[in-house]
Amino acid sequence: AMGRHAEAALPTLRSLPSDRPEYAQPVLEALEAIGEPAVPTLVDLAADPNVGDRAIEALAALGPPGIEALGRIVRSGSSDDARRGAIRALGGCGAGAASQVPILVECVESGPHAIQDASLESLAELGPVAREAAPARRRPAGTVSPWLRGRIEETLARIDG
């Protein structure tokens, strides 16, 4: 991370247009390099259709503060695209995402199909890290659609290896 002095650049970085490729990539690289102080800006950019995917990748690369922010995006009323992107990113964070497993389970239990599917995929990617979530996901089996029940069983098999 660049440190405290780089924080002074945040207002300028925020003001650059995200729909201009010549700005977007360097801005996101700078925000990632700034580190934790850039998390709020990256969270805002996660909902931007022009740079949201890259902002989510940058958050995942920041370790614990970025992973916590991804969890906030998943819980938020943000766009489904941003939520799905954050869910997918959590799946790639390994043991660092353990604290976010309950949020992924909540999404399986109450989200729309696309959010449920992304959550199940991320839980499967997390494998042993997600094992603690298995009992919670078995409970609602009588109240879910056959599609979801099948996806849950498939995910449990992948988690258990």
Side-chain angles (χ1 to χ4, degrees):
M2 291 182 175
R4 291 185 340 202
H5 300 294
E7 290 180 51
L10 283 172
T12 301
L13 292 171
R14 275 191 207 106
S15 71
L16 295 172
S18 66
D19 62 344
R20 303 270 306 273
E22 66 270 26
Y23 294 133
Q25 190 61 33
V27 164
L28 287 161
E29 288 171 5
L31 290 169
E32 188 174 337
I34 289 170
E36 188 171 353
V39 166
T41 301
L42 288 166
V43 168
D44 290 343
L45 290 174
D48 185 314
N50 298 304
V51 295
D53 289 345
R54 181 65 182 91
I56 287 168
E57 289 172 16
L59 285 166
L62 291 178
I67 290 169
E68 291 294 323
L70 290 171
R72 288 194 303 275
I73 292 168
V74 173
R75 281 191 308 267
S76 75
S78 192
S79 73
D80 277 354
D81 285 343
R83 291 181 70 210
R84 265 193 316 275
I87 289 166
R88 287 188 187 116
L90 286 170
C93 290
S99 65
Q100 304 306 309
V101 166
I103 294 164
L104 295 174
V105 172
E106 286 174 28
C107 289
V108 170
E109 293 173 346
S110 64
H113 275 318
I115 297 294
Q116 289 174 321
D117 201 44
S119 298
L120 286 163
E121 188 60 34
S122 287
L123 287 165
E125 280 184 56
L126 291 170
V129 174
R131 192 167 286 133
E132 70 185 51
R137 289 189 325 218
R138 286 190 177 124
R139 249 185 278 127
T143 61
V144 298
S145 70
W147 169 83
L148 183 56
R149 188 175 303 116
R151 285 289 287 131
I152 289 171
E153 291 305 317
E154 174 187 319
T155 300
L156 290 170
R158 288 177 61 191
I159 288 171
D160 292 337

